Amino acid sequence: MRSYPVRWCGQRCAPGAECTACARARAASHRLLDRLHVSSAAAVFVDDKPGNVTGAGAVGITAVRFTDAGALRTALEDLPGR
């Protein structure tokens, strides 16, 4: 059976299957946002790893890939409502 990379956690899963690591990562993200009383739509996630940025976006969090301080500043300034 061929496997494909899963965008959330970088694990490789069979097509159509949700791997356990991905499910745990999603659940952990939602628990953290709940503790902070922040909706995923109001959160912003910044990371330098493309897979992490993609994963945050997959659960509805605005995600910005960090490359350098200037680019991050521009990206944050360009966010709607910020």
Side-chain angles (χ1 to χ4, degrees), residues 22-60:
C22 295
R24 287 184 189 143
R26 281 191 195 97
S29 295
H30 288 296
R31 280 194 307 274
L32 175 60
L33 292 173
D34 287 345
R35 275 191 224 138
L36 296 172
H37 304 287
V38 175
S39 69
S40 57
V44 177
F45 179 82
V46 178
D47 200 311
D48 63 336
K49 295 182 180 173
N52 293 341
V53 173
T54 301
V59 293

Side-chain angles (χ1 to χ4, degrees), residues 50-77:
N52 293 341
V53 173
T54 301
V59 293
I61 299 171
T62 298
V64 177
R65 182 166 180 226
F66 178 83
T67 54
D68 63 64
L72 176 60
R73 181 183 336 264
T74 300
L76 293 175
E77 289 171 349

Side-chain angles (χ1 to χ4, degrees), residues 76-82:
L76 293 175
E77 289 171 349
D78 290 345
L79 291 175
R82 307 269 193 268

